[in-house]
Amino acid sequence: MVSEYTLNLLKNGKVLPREIADPITIKFMGYLMFLISIIGIAVNFKVLQSFCKQKMSSFYIMCSSKTLSNMVIILGYLLHNAPITVIENFTGPTFFNMLVNQMVSYGIYLLGPITQFMISINRLMVMVFVKQAMTQNNQKITVVILVMFWLAAIAITSMGVIDNCNVIYNPELLNWWSGGCDDDIGEAAMGFVIICAILSNVCNLIVLIKLVMSVNKKHMHSETIRRRQAKSKKLFIQSCIQDWIFAIDSVNSTYIDLLNDGIVFRFIFDIFSNLMTPVLDGNEYYFVVILQAQNDFGRDVTVLCSFVSPATVRMQ
């Protein structure tokens, strides 16, 4: 039974009959969101625990903040979007619906790319200013900056809720609904995310070059050099993937979803892509945690969410 809200959209020509999903598809996608959300929370929580066991330098504070923002997004699906999809009790936009989906699509979502860029800048600064990195750790400045970004994300979320143009999740469409009034905002957000990814990639590339050059200058056994270079390359690739995870999702929800008006197609490139982004980001962190647990380089044991941190510089 379609809700009165969706029926009104249908009567007013704002949605087409083929855009309304059948009950079996809705149930299946709802349970799928539940499953992915539980996995995502478990992985990100494990990663957060690993970070908290470290000495909380600026580097690990940023990594922890990014993991926490991932968990907030996933919780939005676990506690709201997945349940209303499974139990089929959608009656129209509620305050909580608007709050959660403004948060996962714009507010808290944008914390991921900007924090990733900050992490990349941190790596670069550590490599450029080695002596300062060994003697200074500006945790207070890092915390202040992160608090400002969190407050900005909360403000963006709040403005979206009180504004006439807000994003809601309609499980009967298996997609977001805003009437198209947020298209310009979506494109602006996508541009911001892509710029963050490009700048972060540039920082990571400079760091990789400096790492390889520094290893080559040291008088080490050739096998040790080979192993360190291989590890640096692996972690560089991992960092680049993290840089582009959010950018790819933004492109998916802004342009790719327009290539086909199929319900499942649009669900995959909008809702599912948005949910998988923080899940995959957490998995990338977890990959490095496992890699470091198996590390055989003796002294290099503290790189958890990147291929360089102040601790790494001290050890080399």
Side-chain angles (χ1 to χ4, degrees), residues 183-229:
D183 289 348
D184 291 340
I185 300 174
E187 290 187 1
M190 182 194 68
F192 174 80
V193 172
I194 289 176
I195 289 172
C196 286
I198 292 172
L199 294 177
S200 186
N201 270 179
V202 171
C203 292
N204 288 332
L205 182 59
I206 295 172
V207 169
L208 177 66
I209 293 171
K210 289 185 69 68
L211 275 175
V212 172
M213 291 175 62
S214 66
V215 168
N216 288 335
K217 288 180 181 178
K218 295 180 182 293
H219 300 290
M220 298 180 183
H221 189 274
S222 59
E223 181 65 16
T224 302
I225 293 176
R226 187 189 66 79
R227 288 180 177 178
R228 288 196 174 189
Q229 288 179 336

Side-chain angles (χ1 to χ4, degrees), residues 6 32 38 42 61 97 100 105 137 179 232 242 275 313:
T6 303
L32 180 62
I38 292 171
I61 290 172
N97 190 318
V100 166
S105 57
N137 232 329
S232 295
Q242 281 188 293
L275 172 58
V313 174

Side-chain angles (χ1 to χ4, degrees), residues 261-274:
D261 62 359
I263 294 170
V264 174
F265 181 89
R266 300 197 69 179
F267 172 83
I268 290 172
F269 286 98
D270 282 332
I271 302 298
F272 192 70
S273 175
N274 182 258

Side-chain angles (χ1 to χ4, degrees), residues 81-101:
N81 288 0
I84 68 170
T85 304
V86 170
I87 62 179
E88 300 180 58
N89 71 336
F90 180 72
T91 57
T94 62
F95 175 80
F96 195 54
N97 190 318
M98 291 185 286
L99 180 68
V100 166
N101 289 286

Side-chain angles (χ1 to χ4, degrees), residues 116-189:
Q116 185 67 30
F117 179 41
M118 287 177 62
I119 291 170
S120 297
I121 292 176
N122 177 269
R123 299 175 185 133
L124 182 60
M125 291 300 99
V126 167
M127 292 300 297
V128 173
F129 303 105
V130 177
K131 292 182 179 179
Q132 291 89 331
M134 294 175 66
T135 58
Q136 296 180 7
N137 232 329
N138 300 314
Q139 295 101 324
K140 291 183 179 179
I141 296 176
T142 302
V143 170
V144 169
I145 294 174
L146 286 173
V147 167
M148 290 173 61
F149 281 135
W150 274 90
L151 290 175
I154 293 170
I156 292 171
T157 301
S158 302
M159 286 188 292
V161 172
I162 62 177
D163 190 9
N164 290 329
C165 180
N166 44 56
V167 179
I168 68 162
Y169 169 66
N170 187 334
E172 295 169 340
L173 306 178
L174 282 176
N175 216 319
W176 290 305
W177 171 256
S178 66
C181 63
D182 70 326
D183 289 348
D184 291 340
I185 300 174
E187 290 187 1

